Amino acid sequence: MKRSKVFLILSVIIAITVAGCDSNSAPNKVTDADKGAKEAPMLASLVSAGSLPALAERMPIPADIKIEEVVDEIGQYGGDWKMPWMGPSDKWGVGQPTEEALFRFNKEGNKVEPNVAKGFEVNADSTVFTIHLREGMKWSDGVPLTADDVLFYWEHMLTKGTFGKKTYDAYYSVDPVTGNKALAEVKKIDNYTFTVTHKYPSVQFLERVAIDNKWFFAPAHFHKTILPEFVGDAKTLEITKKWGYEDPKVFLVETGYYDWLHKEIPTLRAWVPKTDPNSDQFIMERNPYFWKTDTKGKQLPYIDRIVATKIQDPSQKLLGKLSGDYNLVVFDSKDFTVLKENEKKGDYRVIPWTQPAWSSSGIQLNQTTEDPNLRKLFQDIRFREALSIGVNRVEISEIVSNGLAEPIQASVPKGVIGYQEGWAKQWAEFNPKRANQILDEIGLTARDKNNFRKYADGSDVTLTIIESSTDSAAFLELLKKYYEDMGLKTNIKVVDGGTHFDMKYANKIPMTTENISVANVAFRPDTLVPLRVITPWFGHYGLYSSSGGKEGVKPEGDVAKILEIWDKIKASKSVDEINKLSYEIVKLHQKNQWVIGYAGPTPMLVAASNSIHNIPTNAVWADEYRSLGQGHPAQFFIKK
C-alpha cells in the first residue's frame, strides 16, 4: 500500500476517534451495571462465604479512595483480558499496564498528579516535599500501606541497592554553584505522611519520581522475610533455591523490582498474579483490596482477569489476534495494513496512539564500544553521516512501514518539546556516491577480495548489529544491503531479550536498532543523557556517571557537555530555565546525530475487540506515561 493511501486511512481513523472523545459529547450512558453491586460478583461471593472482609473494610477511608474517571461509560464486571506474551523476558508486557505509581502523569502528559499518594505540598524553594498517603489503603493481602513501607524501601532496598538499582538521580539535588550532588533525606512524619528534603532546589522532583522511581514503597512485611540483613545470608540462600533461583542477587532483583510477576508478593496493582510466570499461561486476577472506584463508587477493576498466553515467536501475536485468540493487543505500524483489512472480519478496531519517537527505524552506534577501531569510527561524525546518506530512506519507508513513516532523519517530531525546523532533513537525502567518498576520506580505502573495506592496519571493518527480536528483520536486511554496498561488511545477530539486556550492561552491543522516544528530556533524560547504562548510543558513559567515575568510560566533548547541562537543569529554580537548558541538550543531539533514523515515527496500534470499552482514542504512547498504562486499564471493561 502506498504511503498516501495509508496516510488517508490513518487520517480518517484519527478524525473519527478524536471526534468521538469530544468533551461536549453525550454524558455517560446508564446501564444495568449502574444499578448493581459496588464490587465484582466474584468478590461478593467471597464476602458472603466469610472468606473476605466486606468492601468497606478493604478500601481506604471514604475521603481517601481514588476515584478514576472513566473514558466513555460506567463499566460492567467480568471477563478476561486476553493477550500474548513472550514469557518472563517480556516482564513489562503486563508490568506497564498494571503499574500503580506514587505519582503519575495526567492524561495530557504535562504534569504529575497523585496516584498511590493522596496529595503533597512543596515549600517555596522546592527543597521540602511533604507527601500524604491514603489512610486505610491496603496491600493485596490486606496489610495496611503506611509511611513505614516508604521508609523501609528507602533504607533497606533503594539506598542499599538490594534489588539491583542504584539510587535514582531523582533523589539527588545539585549545588547551582559547585555542581556537587547531595542525597535527599526521607523522614516519616506520621503513619500516612513523610517528607523528602533536598539540600538544594529540586523543581522537578515529583516528575522525576513519576518516571524513575514510580514505586517509592515496598511491602516491608514481606521483604523482611527474605532480605539477608533480616534473616541472614544462609536463610536468604535457602529461600532463593526454594523459589527456583540459584543466585540470591538475581532473586532479590526479581522480587524487589519485578514484583508483579510473583504471586507471593503483596502488591497495590489492580490485578495480582495467580500463576507462575514461567507457566504457559500467566494469569493475574482482580485485587480484592484495590483502592480505586469509578465515579459511581464501583470498585475497580472491571475486568476479572488478565490472561497472558505464552508464545514462542512474535508472529504468533498477529495470527492470534486475527483468529480471535486475543481481545486487546498492541502492535507497531508494520502490521497496520493487515490489521485494517481484517477489522470487520475480526470484530475489532484499530486505535492509533501517538508516539513522541524520533524515528521508527533507526540505528544506534555505541560510542564506547570495546573495539578501539570501531570506537574511533563511531565517534567520527563523518562516519555517521556516511551511514546516514548511504541508505535509501524511501525504500525503507515503503518496505518496513508500508509507506506509513516519512523518509526522514531521527529528530524530535513536530509538536514535541525540542522540535527544530529542518532537523528531519539532516543527512536524509540518499547519496551513495558522497557516502563512499566520505568513507574514503576517513581512510577506509583498502578493500579485500570481496570488495569490503579494511582499516589502515589491514584488519577487516565489520559492523555487528545485535537485536533482541526478529521483528526488525526486514529493516535489518535492507541496512545490511546498503551498508555492504558501501563496502562495510555487516553481521546481524539476534539474541533473546534477557541476553540483549545483559550485553547492553556489559558494553557488548556495538550497534542496535533501538529508537529514541522521549516526550520531554527534562522529564525523562535517560535516553539522551548518560546517567546510567540504559541507552545503547552512550554505552558505558552511563556506567561512569552511575558509578561516580569508578567504572565505565569518562565522557568527553559534547557528551560531557550534556552532563554539565543536566546538572544545571537539576539545580534550576524555574521551569523556564529548565526548558531552555533542555533545548541545549537536544541541540547537541542534532549536531552530533548519535542516533541515525531512516524512517519517521509511526503510531502504536491498539487492536481492541469491539466488546472492550473505555479505551482512550487520543492518548500518547510513551514510556514516561507507562505506554498502555496511560489509558488506566483498570477502567477498561467488556460489554456483555
Side-chain angles (χ1 to χ4, degrees), residues 398-559:
E398 292 294 343
I399 293 177
V400 177
S401 75
N402 294 311
L404 190 59
E406 290 189 74
I408 58 176
Q409 180 62 266
S411 54
V412 176
K414 197 167 187 177
V416 175
I417 294 174
Y419 169 76
Q420 296 165 66
E421 189 70 37
W423 186 2
K425 296 180 180 180
Q426 179 169 282
W427 302 345
E429 186 177 350
F430 182 42
N431 191 342
K433 182 177 179 181
R434 175 56 186 156
N436 278 283
Q437 183 181 348
I438 290 173
L439 295 175
D440 288 341
E441 291 171 357
I442 289 173
L444 304 178
T445 54
R447 305 264 187 158
D448 64 14
K449 62 180 181 181
N450 295 313
N451 205 36
F452 288 129
R453 295 179 183 271
K454 302 169 76 70
Y455 293 109
D457 63 8
S459 58
D460 295 334
V461 177
T462 302
L463 306 181
T464 302
I465 303 173
I466 301 178
E467 289 294 284
S468 61
S469 169
T470 57
D471 286 354
S472 57
F475 172 54
L476 289 171
E477 286 303 317
L478 285 170
L479 275 194
K480 178 180 174 69
K481 168 185 175 296
Y482 284 110
Y483 287 176
E484 294 196 339
D485 283 348
M486 289 184 274
L488 300 169
K489 185 177 180 181
T490 304
N491 294 329
I492 297 169
K493 183 178 180 181
V494 178
V495 298
D496 65 81
T499 300
H500 194 270
F501 182 87
D502 292 340
M503 291 179 72
K504 183 193 298 185
Y505 272 73
N507 205 34
K508 299 292 184 182
I509 296 182
M511 302 173 70
T512 191
T513 62
E514 191 171 310
N515 291 317
I516 294 291
S517 183
V518 57
N520 186 331
V521 63
F523 288 172
R524 190 63 182 268
D526 297 331
T527 54
L528 304 183
V529 182
L531 299 174
R532 56 190 174 116
V533 181
I534 189 170
T535 303
W537 76 265
F538 57 62
H540 269 193
Y541 287 149
L543 181 61
Y544 186 90
S545 295
S546 64
S547 67
K550 296 176 182 178
E551 301 176 83
V553 179
K554 184 178 181 179
E556 298 178 341
D558 282 348
V559 179

Side-chain angles (χ1 to χ4, degrees), residues 42 148 188 190 206 247 253 334 484 526 551 608:
M42 65 184 294
D148 290 329
K188 174 184 174 181
D190 58 41
L206 295 180
D247 185 350
V253 169
K334 75 178 187 304
E484 294 196 339
D526 297 331
E551 301 176 83

Side-chain angles (χ1 to χ4, degrees), residues 278-522:
N278 292 300
S279 305
D280 288 339
Q281 275 194 336
F282 178 58
I283 297 175
M284 301 181 78
E285 194 171 272
R286 67 169 60 255
N287 175 3
Y289 293 89
F290 194 55
W291 36 280
K292 295 183 181 181
T293 70
D294 62 20
T295 54
K296 296 291 185 180
K298 296 178 61 177
Q299 186 190 30
L300 297 173
Y302 292 130
I303 294 176
D304 286 338
R305 305 190 308 167
I306 295 176
V307 179
T309 302
K310 193 172 183 179
I311 59 176
Q312 301 300 322
D313 187 274
S315 64
Q316 292 177 267
K317 181 169 76 169
L318 179 60
L319 294 174
K321 180 58 192 171
L322 296 179
S323 63
D325 294 336
Y326 315 124
N327 54 11
L328 180 55
V329 194
V330 178
F331 296 89
D332 57 32
S333 63
K334 75 178 187 304
D335 296 312
F336 176 77
T337 302
V338 174
L339 287 169
K340 285 302 298 177
E341 290 174 346
N342 288 274
E343 267 186 322
K344 187 174 182 179
K345 180 181 178 182
D347 192 27
Y348 63 82
R349 65 200 184 280
V350 176
I351 307 169
W353 279 25
T354 303
Q355 289 194 90
W358 287 18
S359 66
S360 58
S361 297
I363 195 79
Q364 293 198 28
L365 282 65
N366 183 352
Q367 299 296 294
T368 68
T369 193
E370 292 180 321
D371 184 300
N373 284 329
L374 270 184
R375 190 187 315 127
K376 184 178 179 181
L377 275 185
F378 289 0
Q379 291 182 355
D380 191 326
I381 194 169
R382 297 173 299 170
F383 183 74
R384 299 196 292 276
E385 181 181 356
L387 288 193
S388 184
I389 65 177
V391 174
N392 188 335
R393 284 173 169 76
V394 174
E395 185 177 17
I396 294 285
S397 174
E398 292 294 343
I399 293 177
V400 177
S401 75
N402 294 311
L404 190 59
E406 290 189 74
I408 58 176
Q409 180 62 266
S411 54
V412 176
K414 197 167 187 177
V416 175
I417 294 174
Y419 169 76
Q420 296 165 66
E421 189 70 37
W423 186 2
K425 296 180 180 180
Q426 179 169 282
W427 302 345
E429 186 177 350
F430 182 42
N431 191 342
K433 182 177 179 181
R434 175 56 186 156
N436 278 283
Q437 183 181 348
I438 290 173
L439 295 175
D440 288 341
E441 291 171 357
I442 289 173
L444 304 178
T445 54
R447 305 264 187 158
D448 64 14
K449 62 180 181 181
N450 295 313
N451 205 36
F452 288 129
R453 295 179 183 271
K454 302 169 76 70
Y455 293 109
D457 63 8
S459 58
D460 295 334
V461 177
T462 302
L463 306 181
T464 302
I465 303 173
I466 301 178
E467 289 294 284
S468 61
S469 169
T470 57
D471 286 354
S472 57
F475 172 54
L476 289 171
E477 286 303 317
L478 285 170
L479 275 194
K480 178 180 174 69
K481 168 185 175 296
Y482 284 110
Y483 287 176
E484 294 196 339
D485 283 348
M486 289 184 274
L488 300 169
K489 185 177 180 181
T490 304
N491 294 329
I492 297 169
K493 183 178 180 181
V494 178
V495 298
D496 65 81
T499 300
H500 194 270
F501 182 87
D502 292 340
M503 291 179 72
K504 183 193 298 185
Y505 272 73
N507 205 34
K508 299 292 184 182
I509 296 182
M511 302 173 70
T512 191
T513 62
E514 191 171 310
N515 291 317
I516 294 291
S517 183
V518 57
N520 186 331
V521 63

Side-chain angles (χ1 to χ4, degrees), residues 628-639:
L628 191 59
Q630 176 73 343
H632 305 161
Q635 52 86 45
F636 295 173
F637 78 96
I638 300 172
K639 181 171 284 190

